[in-house]
Amino acid sequence: MFLGSDCIALVTGASRGAGKGIAEALGDAGATVYVTGRSQTEGDSVLPGTVYATAEEISRRGGKGIAVVCDHSNDHEVAALFAQIARDHAKLDILVNNALCVPDGLTLSGPFWEKPLNLQDILNVGLRSSYVASYYAAPLLIKNGGLVVNTSSPGGRCYMHGPAYGAGKAAVDKMAHDMAVDFKPHQVAVVSLWMGLLKTERTQAVFAAEPELYSQLIDMVESPEFTGRVIASLAADTARMARTGKIWFAAELGAEYGLADIDGRLPPSPRLMFGDETQFSDVVVQ
């Protein structure tokens, strides 16, 4: 799927993980991609990756990567980011709200009151940050009718990592629905995209530490680039407004678009992984 350099995209939280893969896939499609993150040099995080390295990789793949150091908990920095995009291009075609604070202790077992209180930080960078970015992006998105994607997960419907995580995911899903109502007259599509288990730097570290524990999940893993391919196809879809305001499994949307992951296979949908499939029967319009 080729979007071309005139397609201006922003992927938040793209130093590593899902954001990095999504941004690189949009680079494969030839887009001009702004990427944000806080990591400027290796060592800024315990995990590898920097916002500059992601931008360089986008350009190497045929797109144009533009790195912007931005803390999405700081509204002034976010406003300055969109002011820069407005000066440079006066429009925005794709906004991917992906920035997420992953607090230490998120995956600990036990009830929420026995875990660190700072798990609720995910409601700041993750939930609130998606609202703020969409707020500042709106005047640029409505110029030509753009696309907003909130990266999310089935944690918005089932128990996953506790109530802070679940509340954050459920909220960005609902936010996509409600923003779609406001954006519809301007032909801006807004969706929440449920990704599967991604092969990110964090996941690989966990798998390496306990390979036997996670061996059964290997076949479920999909690359972060796959999500980016889905987003590129959605952006190029002239009928994308029919999908606005809804939640979509990335794997199922990818199947509709005839996509494959970087290893040539279609990732399996995680729909049945979370119990009775009827639990999610209203999530996706078939």
Side-chain angles (χ1 to χ4, degrees), residues 223-279:
S223 76
E225 287 95 328
F226 177 74
T227 303
R229 292 180 178 185
V230 172
I231 292 171
S233 294
L234 184 58
D237 187 349
T238 56
R240 66 176 178 269
M241 288 302 296
R243 303 187 186 277
T244 193
K246 297 179 175 64
I247 301 166
W248 300 90
F249 281 95
E252 294 177 3
L253 203 53
E256 287 194 43
Y257 286 127
L259 302 177
D261 206 339
I262 58 176
D263 60 3
R265 68 183 179 91
L266 174 68
S269 171
R271 179 181 290 266
L272 296 178
M273 190 176 177
F274 298 94
D276 183 358
E277 65 177 328
T278 60
Q279 180 183 1

Side-chain angles (χ1 to χ4, degrees), residues 10-16 34-41 44 49-52 54 66-72 77 81 98-100 125:
L10 165 63
V11 182
T12 69
S15 296
R16 62 189 62 83
Y34 286 79
V35 291
T36 64
R38 293 179 300 168
S39 296
Q40 302 183 55
T41 60
D44 287 350
T50 71
V51 67
Y52 296 114
T54 300
I66 302 173
V68 180
V69 176
C70 179
D71 180 350
H72 281 272
E77 292 187 15
L81 161 68
N98 175 75
L100 180 70
V125 178

